[in-house]
Structures are given as structure tokens and as C-alpha cells.
Amino acid sequence: MIEALPLTDAAAARPARPRRLRAVLGLLAAHPLLRPVAALLILLLIDAVLLPGFWHLEIKDGHLYGPLIDILNRAAPLMLAALGMSLVIATRGIDVSIGAVVAIAATVAAMAVNAGQPLAVAYAAALGAALLCGAWNGVLVAGLKLQPIIATLILMVAGRGLAQLLADGQILTVYRDDFFVLGGGYLLGLPVSLWAVAVLALATITLLRKTALGLFIQAVGLNPVASRLTGLRTATLIFGTYVFAALCAGLAGLMIASNIRSADANNAGLLLELDAILAVTLGGASLAGGRYNLVGALIGALIIQTLTTTIYSLGVPPEVNMVVKALVVFLLCILQSSELRPMLRSVTDRLTRRGASR
């Protein structure tokens, strides 16, 4: 009779390795950032193939230059808008007045600088105007219980008209060098705008994760009635998200005005709110509220800017960019449909059964 030889440690460990690998792959597949990161990497690889020199970086006068740096710099205002929009959507809201707030902040800052005011005063006036806009939206939504899209639509229309009135229908050109630093300056080799986004994003993420504020916002989005009955000040939380979104939009307006060295009330931030909503959904947030990911929203903004840069670099008409964005929004809305998921599951189960029967 042949006795079974005892397994060595190495042999015993062999079956465990595939299990660990499967577990790791399962965790990666379930990670909320997998899809946006994969989409961004695919876009970057396509650019590397279609656009020679896309990955090229060089240092001039101590500053980094290259297509990747341009994408990061141009995506900075959208990343700010996506940060604020994430929290608004997390509370089952929407803010379509982001672009108007951008125009107001840029116009107020340009007027203050041209009037000879110090840069700090100009920035404070612009951000103060943005905060007032956010408070207006918050009062309408949280206080008067208006539908978010209707409440913010009022400011979307009236806000841009107010900016045009302040600028007297003109493009306000700025000639002060210190005004150009936020949107066109460099710090430690990288654009100042990126540092501003990084500071605000880290501060926001830290505040939401280290305190109960993030959980409260998520609870309001999941079930506002139950949250109110448990003692949460839902109106205050909702009001705060709209104020924060307007603050982010105001800072984005300062960046845009600084970058183009002027304030264009007609075009500054035009349709930025739609790109912000798309960035948030690309990052894995639910339009139904209760689920958000700030890092994912930032990656979504990078995806949109990379896609825009790719289309322009290939010589495709700009109108195609809007069509592509519309298709992406359509697909995202369809995939988040509560009716579609059971249908997809039933189709998958049928295909699996047919394959097993064969």
C-alpha cells in the first residue's frame, strides 16, 4: 500500500496563490474608481498613438511644458466645478447656474482690478459675489423647497444677464500682472491653478472623511425624510452644498479670467455646469443622490478635458465634441436606470444558462 507523501509548504501554498490573486482582482473590479481611471488611461493611450509627441515634457525657465500639462491646466476650472457639483448631486440636487456664477465672479474681479483695487480685495469681492449666488440658490432649494433645477435655472438666466450688465456688454481686459498668476502662473514647475485645485480638493476630502459631514450629506441624499426625523439639519446641509458649489464656481471664474487676461460675461463658463455634471457621473456618482466620489469627479473632469483636447488636436470640428458628450451623458443615464439593470441581469442569466446547457 502506497502512503501519501506529506505536502511541503511550497506545494501547500500553490493553491492559495490563485485564490489571493482572484481576491485582489475582485477588489480592484469592485473599486469605484476602476472605470474612470481605465477610461482616462485608454484615452491617453489613444492620444499616444494618434498624436506624436503627446507624452513629451520639457522644462523651460524652470517650468514644465507639454500637452499633459496643458490638459491639467485647462481642466482646473472644470475640476473645481465638479467638486462643488458632487456635493450638490449627492443631496439629490442639481445646479445649472455654475456657468453664470463663473461669469459674475470673473466680471466682478476684473472690474475691481481695473478700478485700482488691491488683488486681495478684488478676489474677496468676486468670491463674495459667488457666495451670495450660492446663498440665493440654497434659500430657494432648502428654504422654499423649490425644485433644484428650477431654482438654479433662475440664476442661470438672470446671473449671466447681471454679469453682462455689470460689464456693459463689453469684454473687460485686465493689464495687471499679478492678476495673471492664478490662471497662468507657475509654482515649483507646475501651474498655480493645479496647486489651488489640489489644496481645495484635499481640504474638502479631509473634512468629509475625518468628520461626520460626509456621512450626513450621503444620508440626506439617500433619504432626506428619514435624515430629518433622526435629527439631522437637512435644510442646513443642503444650503451648505449650494454655497460650496458657488464658491468653487467663483474660484473657477477667477482662474478663467486670469488665464485669458479678461472677463467675458457672454462666454465665461458657458455650459460649464453641463461638463461638471458629466464629470461627476463619470466619476461614479449617482444622479439619484446618496453616492458621490470627489476623486472620481476630478478624474471625470480630466477625462472630459482629455477628450476635448484629442478632438481638437485631430482636426475634428468642435461640434463633434458636443455630440460625443451628449452620447456619453445618454449612456450614463441609461446605465443608471433602475429598469435597465434587471433587464440586463435577466439577459445575462439567459445567456449563461444557454451556454451551460450546450
Side-chain angles (χ1 to χ4, degrees), residues 268-281:
L270 191 63
L271 301 181
L272 183 64
E273 57 273 355
L274 302 184
D275 284 344
I277 295 171
L278 177 56
V280 172
T281 51

PDB file of all heavy atoms in Angstrom, residues 268-281:
ATOM      1  N   ALA A 268     -17.771  83.329 -20.599  1.00  0.00           N
ATOM      2  CA  ALA A 268     -17.060  82.755 -19.457  1.00  0.00           C
ATOM      3  C   ALA A 268     -17.939  81.714 -18.769  1.00  0.00           C
ATOM      4  O   ALA A 268     -19.057  82.001 -18.345  1.00  0.00           O
ATOM      5  CB  ALA A 268     -16.672  83.856 -18.468  1.00  0.00           C
ATOM      6  N   GLY A 269     -17.435  80.487 -18.680  1.00  0.00           N
ATOM      7  CA  GLY A 269     -18.174  79.427 -18.007  1.00  0.00           C
ATOM      8  C   GLY A 269     -19.399  78.934 -18.747  1.00  0.00           C
ATOM      9  O   GLY A 269     -20.247  78.251 -18.161  1.00  0.00           O
ATOM     10  N   LEU A 270     -19.506  79.251 -20.026  1.00  0.00           N
ATOM     11  CA  LEU A 270     -20.675  78.837 -20.798  1.00  0.00           C
ATOM     12  C   LEU A 270     -20.733  77.309 -20.885  1.00  0.00           C
ATOM     13  O   LEU A 270     -19.767  76.663 -21.298  1.00  0.00           O
ATOM     14  CB  LEU A 270     -20.616  79.440 -22.202  1.00  0.00           C
ATOM     15  CG  LEU A 270     -21.870  79.314 -23.055  1.00  0.00           C
ATOM     16  CD1 LEU A 270     -23.031  80.066 -22.412  1.00  0.00           C
ATOM     17  CD2 LEU A 270     -21.613  79.829 -24.466  1.00  0.00           C
ATOM     18  N   LEU A 271     -21.841  76.731 -20.456  1.00  0.00           N
ATOM     19  CA  LEU A 271     -22.085  75.280 -20.436  1.00  0.00           C
ATOM     20  C   LEU A 271     -21.133  74.529 -19.505  1.00  0.00           C
ATOM     21  O   LEU A 271     -21.043  73.303 -19.581  1.00  0.00           O
ATOM     22  CB  LEU A 271     -21.986  74.693 -21.853  1.00  0.00           C
ATOM     23  CG  LEU A 271     -22.948  75.257 -22.902  1.00  0.00           C
ATOM     24  CD1 LEU A 271     -22.743  74.564 -24.240  1.00  0.00           C
ATOM     25  CD2 LEU A 271     -24.399  75.104 -22.452  1.00  0.00           C
ATOM     26  N   LEU A 272     -20.452  75.242 -18.618  1.00  0.00           N
ATOM     27  CA  LEU A 272     -19.553  74.574 -17.680  1.00  0.00           C
ATOM     28  C   LEU A 272     -20.328  73.662 -16.731  1.00  0.00           C
ATOM     29  O   LEU A 272     -19.811  72.620 -16.308  1.00  0.00           O
ATOM     30  CB  LEU A 272     -18.762  75.613 -16.881  1.00  0.00           C
ATOM     31  CG  LEU A 272     -17.716  75.065 -15.897  1.00  0.00           C
ATOM     32  CD1 LEU A 272     -16.612  74.329 -16.638  1.00  0.00           C
ATOM     33  CD2 LEU A 272     -17.134  76.188 -15.047  1.00  0.00           C
ATOM     34  N   GLU A 273     -21.562  74.043 -16.398  1.00  0.00           N
ATOM     35  CA  GLU A 273     -22.355  73.223 -15.489  1.00  0.00           C
ATOM     36  C   GLU A 273     -22.655  71.848 -16.080  1.00  0.00           C
ATOM     37  O   GLU A 273     -22.695  70.845 -15.362  1.00  0.00           O
ATOM     38  CB  GLU A 273     -23.665  73.929 -15.118  1.00  0.00           C
ATOM     39  CG  GLU A 273     -24.531  74.318 -16.279  1.00  0.00           C
ATOM     40  CD  GLU A 273     -24.188  75.677 -16.859  1.00  0.00           C
ATOM     41  OE1 GLU A 273     -23.313  76.376 -16.288  1.00  0.00           O
ATOM     42  OE2 GLU A 273     -24.788  76.054 -17.878  1.00  0.00           O
ATOM     43  N   LEU A 274     -22.829  71.798 -17.405  1.00  0.00           N
ATOM     44  CA  LEU A 274     -23.104  70.509 -18.040  1.00  0.00           C
ATOM     45  C   LEU A 274     -21.865  69.619 -18.012  1.00  0.00           C
ATOM     46  O   LEU A 274     -21.968  68.405 -17.773  1.00  0.00           O
ATOM     47  CB  LEU A 274     -23.582  70.727 -19.473  1.00  0.00           C
ATOM     48  CG  LEU A 274     -24.833  71.595 -19.626  1.00  0.00           C
ATOM     49  CD1 LEU A 274     -25.253  71.656 -21.089  1.00  0.00           C
ATOM     50  CD2 LEU A 274     -25.968  71.062 -18.766  1.00  0.00           C
ATOM     51  N   ASP A 275     -20.710  70.208 -18.252  1.00  0.00           N
ATOM     52  CA  ASP A 275     -19.469  69.433 -18.152  1.00  0.00           C
ATOM     53  C   ASP A 275     -19.232  68.963 -16.721  1.00  0.00           C
ATOM     54  O   ASP A 275     -18.725  67.857 -16.493  1.00  0.00           O
ATOM     55  CB  ASP A 275     -18.279  70.277 -18.619  1.00  0.00           C
ATOM     56  CG  ASP A 275     -18.220  70.400 -20.132  1.00  0.00           C
ATOM     57  OD1 ASP A 275     -18.896  69.605 -20.817  1.00  0.00           O
ATOM     58  OD2 ASP A 275     -17.507  71.290 -20.635  1.00  0.00           O
ATOM     59  N   ALA A 276     -19.595  69.796 -15.752  1.00  0.00           N
ATOM     60  CA  ALA A 276     -19.422  69.412 -14.347  1.00  0.00           C
ATOM     61  C   ALA A 276     -20.328  68.231 -13.996  1.00  0.00           C
ATOM     62  O   ALA A 276     -19.906  67.292 -13.300  1.00  0.00           O
ATOM     63  CB  ALA A 276     -19.710  70.595 -13.436  1.00  0.00           C
ATOM     64  N   ILE A 277     -21.572  68.263 -14.454  1.00  0.00           N
ATOM     65  CA  ILE A 277     -22.480  67.140 -14.209  1.00  0.00           C
ATOM     66  C   ILE A 277     -21.948  65.869 -14.855  1.00  0.00           C
ATOM     67  O   ILE A 277     -21.976  64.784 -14.249  1.00  0.00           O
ATOM     68  CB  ILE A 277     -23.887  67.479 -14.739  1.00  0.00           C
ATOM     69  CG1 ILE A 277     -24.485  68.652 -13.959  1.00  0.00           C
ATOM     70  CG2 ILE A 277     -24.808  66.263 -14.648  1.00  0.00           C
ATOM     71  CD1 ILE A 277     -25.769  69.196 -14.549  1.00  0.00           C
ATOM     72  N   LEU A 278     -21.444  65.994 -16.069  1.00  0.00           N
ATOM     73  CA  LEU A 278     -20.883  64.833 -16.764  1.00  0.00           C
ATOM     74  C   LEU A 278     -19.664  64.306 -16.024  1.00  0.00           C
ATOM     75  O   LEU A 278     -19.489  63.089 -15.878  1.00  0.00           O
ATOM     76  CB  LEU A 278     -20.520  65.220 -18.196  1.00  0.00           C
ATOM     77  CG  LEU A 278     -19.852  64.129 -19.048  1.00  0.00           C
ATOM     78  CD1 LEU A 278     -20.723  62.891 -19.102  1.00  0.00           C
ATOM     79  CD2 LEU A 278     -19.580  64.658 -20.453  1.00  0.00           C
ATOM     80  N   ALA A 279     -18.801  65.192 -15.533  1.00  0.00           N
ATOM     81  CA  ALA A 279     -17.616  64.762 -14.796  1.00  0.00           C
ATOM     82  C   ALA A 279     -17.995  64.005 -13.530  1.00  0.00           C
ATOM     83  O   ALA A 279     -17.384  62.990 -13.192  1.00  0.00           O
ATOM     84  CB  ALA A 279     -16.748  65.969 -14.457  1.00  0.00           C
ATOM     85  N   VAL A 280     -19.014  64.495 -12.835  1.00  0.00           N
ATOM     86  CA  VAL A 280     -19.453  63.840 -11.600  1.00  0.00           C
ATOM     87  C   VAL A 280     -19.990  62.445 -11.886  1.00  0.00           C
ATOM     88  O   VAL A 280     -19.683  61.481 -11.169  1.00  0.00           O
ATOM     89  CB  VAL A 280     -20.512  64.703 -10.895  1.00  0.00           C
ATOM     90  CG1 VAL A 280     -21.133  63.949  -9.722  1.00  0.00           C
ATOM     91  CG2 VAL A 280     -19.893  65.995 -10.396  1.00  0.00           C
ATOM     92  N   THR A 281     -20.788  62.304 -12.942  1.00  0.00           N
ATOM     93  CA  THR A 281     -21.336  60.989 -13.273  1.00  0.00           C
ATOM     94  C   THR A 281     -20.256  60.050 -13.799  1.00  0.00           C
ATOM     95  O   THR A 281     -20.281  58.850 -13.523  1.00  0.00           O
ATOM     96  CB  THR A 281     -22.460  61.129 -14.308  1.00  0.00           C
ATOM     97  OG1 THR A 281     -21.995  61.916 -15.424  1.00  0.00           O
ATOM     98  CG2 THR A 281     -23.663  61.818 -13.704  1.00  0.00           C
TER      99      THR A 281
END
